[in-house]
Amino acid sequence: MSWDILREGLRLGAKVSLAAIPYSLVYTQLRMFNFAFGEVITFAGYVLYVLTRAKHWPIWAALPVALLLSAALGALIERVAYRRLMETRDRHLLLVSSIGVSIVLQNLYQAVFGSRTMYLDRPETPWFAVACVLALEVTGLLVLLQRTSFGNRMAAIASNRELSQLLGINPTVVYASVFMIASALAVPAAFFEMSDNGIAPDMGFQIGMLAFAAAVLAGMHSILWTLAASFVLGVVVVVAQVGSFLNDRLIWVACVVFAILLAGLRRTLERRKRVSRGEDRGVWNPL
Amino acid sequence: METALDQVNQSGITFKDGAGITHHYKLSIQYENSYGGPNNTLNAPDQMEKLIAAGVPAVLGEHFSGVTLALAPIANARHRVLLTPCSTNYKLRNAGPWVFRILPTDYDQSVQMARYGKNELKASRAAVLNIENAYGRDLAKTFVDTFTRDGGTIVYSHQFAEGQREFGGFVTQLLKSNAQFLFLVGHTQEMADLLRAKARIERSLGRPRLPVLGTDGMYDDSFLEQAGEAAEGIVLASAGFNPQSSDPVVRKFVSAFQTKFAKTPNLWSAGGYDAVHVLAEAIRHGGPKPEAIRESLFTVRGFAGATGTNTIDKTGGTEGKPVYVFVIRGGKFIQLG
């Protein structure tokens, strides 16, 4: 494997991780798969497109606006499609609701913008810019989660919601904030993906599938694991194009299957540990 | 198709039957969406049955060769004319007595490009990347056969999937392969993404642009828009339709199309236009029964259309329609030779 190929793989990995980290953030804090996140990425992309191409804004002015609008969309989705369901114990309902949001938004984009791919027509983004944004994002999130009172409140709710409520933490506010942060992070993901491949109604869905695979490969565990898994996945996809043994599509399927197996294995091991410590009475909970 | 329909129905179709009675007909088109994709043939047969149930004598379609090939057995079994305005796969030559084509098969495009690579680029080493479907596989195979028969070697060959967006690995390997040019077959979106990745990687490696030869899949304004600067200098072969042509039939079509839709027609619109006119011509000759249309189609000779002269041969295709070579310069298709 040569340096050129590795570099292409890392480049793809960086793009995937930008999409996978917000995914993972929502899962680790809220224990839900937010399938609609890909559509938030697409939304951020269309905002950037409209502002820079149709309104001729400079990109540095368009980016903050896109951040705000994406966060607003995240809050809106949370309010309309998730908040009522958060009360229930069954996380499957949230999963189904997020798939619904994803379908509605994808069709909406198609109706408004058409199915044709559109391009930003900017000079290409140097890959160290992607690396810088990624480093900034990861550091920012780690600080937020581990060093701030907001992070503590999130952790408290994730570990025991009822008890945290008794302590005066308002879970609704925390959940909405998590969605807004994750949705704002759709902007860098959208920006780098569309400066390579343009924007189409399914852009977010496509990169979201890879991001989902990466997040699952990381065992839906932590942000750093997700980062590592994204790079592994990126390199695997690119190397698979080089080798003649598998075509691109097969390797994706193989990755997803492999990842699910790996995640399942981790989960089983963790649960066996918990059962042996007497913390788990053996009721199977798939999510 | 609508443009041609308006023209045909302005005067209607007059047909004199065997008993000397003159009939007047007006054409109408019932549209059904086959949701066809290059590899998606699931819906089309049902839609065709629906049309047959509605009593149509002839079906104009499909766009994609794979779908037309899937519809051919139905046309043959149910005795309905299937006239495809756009499909170019050479297997359609032997798809049965009820299957007709407006455009020449893509076989000639690959042969033209293999020759162009050898004679104009003076190349002996070629790379091939094609989309993984009937269109891509067959064009690539013909190219490889012709190029190797003429003494060239294929140093790199790969397929990519429909809807694929990431091409970094393919392009990196391709640029290492020592090929003198790339023969690329696919649909606009994937090819545009591939070419953009290729331009980017070439820039980062400080390499000169590797020449690209292509086929009619690129002969579409949306390809120019999607690939942008990365499409500059590409040479491609396509069945002929040149909206700038001074040919009176083409001018009539282009101005009618522009009045109706306020945009310039492409090859596929021109194929649809010719299909409707050829069908009307056949009905004018033998009446509107399916069997009569089928027989009269074979008598269509030298009928001037937007894609050239339509003369239906024994295989149901149009005979002797030329394949043109274009180069992309300044974001436009410029005809060579």
Side-chain angles (χ1 to χ4, degrees), chain B residues 113-126 147 150-153 178-181 211 213:
Chain B
M113 285 297 97
R115 300 265 148 84
Y116 187 92
K118 181 169 184 292
N119 300 331
E120 304 293 324
L121 300 178
K122 310 271 180 239
S124 58
R125 298 183 305 276
F147 194 69
D150 292 349
T153 39
N178 200 22
Q180 289 161 304
F181 70 93
L213 304 183

Side-chain angles (χ1 to χ4, degrees), chain B residues 194-276:
Chain B
L194 192 152
L195 289 165
R196 279 172 177 264
K198 175 173 165 290
R200 171 174 65 76
I201 293 170
E202 279 167 339
R203 262 200 307 276
S204 77
L205 295 177
R207 291 257 202 133
R209 194 63 77 75
L210 182 74
V212 177
L213 304 183
T215 60
D216 60 1
M218 295 173 178
Y219 193 50
D220 190 331
D221 285 341
S222 69
F223 172 70
L224 297 177
E225 195 183 303
Q226 288 161 349
E229 193 274 330
E232 276 302 294
I234 290 179
V235 173
L236 60 126
S238 174
F241 168 66
N242 180 4
Q244 267 87 45
S245 159
S246 56
D247 182 277
V249 181
V250 176
R251 292 267 50 90
K252 187 177 164 203
F253 164 55
V254 172
S255 68
F257 189 93
Q258 277 169 336
T259 322
K260 202 169 166 78
F261 299 107
K263 59 180 181 182
T264 310
N266 60 15
L267 173 63
W268 318 124
S269 319
Y273 177 85
D274 279 8
V276 172

Side-chain angles (χ1 to χ4, degrees), chain B residues 157-179:
Chain B
S157 167
H158 252 296
Q159 305 202 355
F160 53 88
E162 279 169 26
Q164 186 171 331
R165 290 175 67 95
E166 297 299 334
F167 294 94
F170 283 132
V171 173
T172 313
Q173 193 73 351
L174 159 73
L175 294 177
K176 282 179 187 304
S177 71
N178 200 22

Side-chain angles (χ1 to χ4, degrees), chain A residues 8 15 117 119 124 197 241, chain B residues 165-166 169-170 189 203:
Chain A
E8 278 302 308
K15 285 196 299 181
T117 307
Y119 296 89
E124 130 203 356
N197 289 339
Q241 292 182 358
Chain B
R165 290 175 67 95
E166 297 299 334
F170 283 132
Q189 186 58 62
R203 262 200 307 276

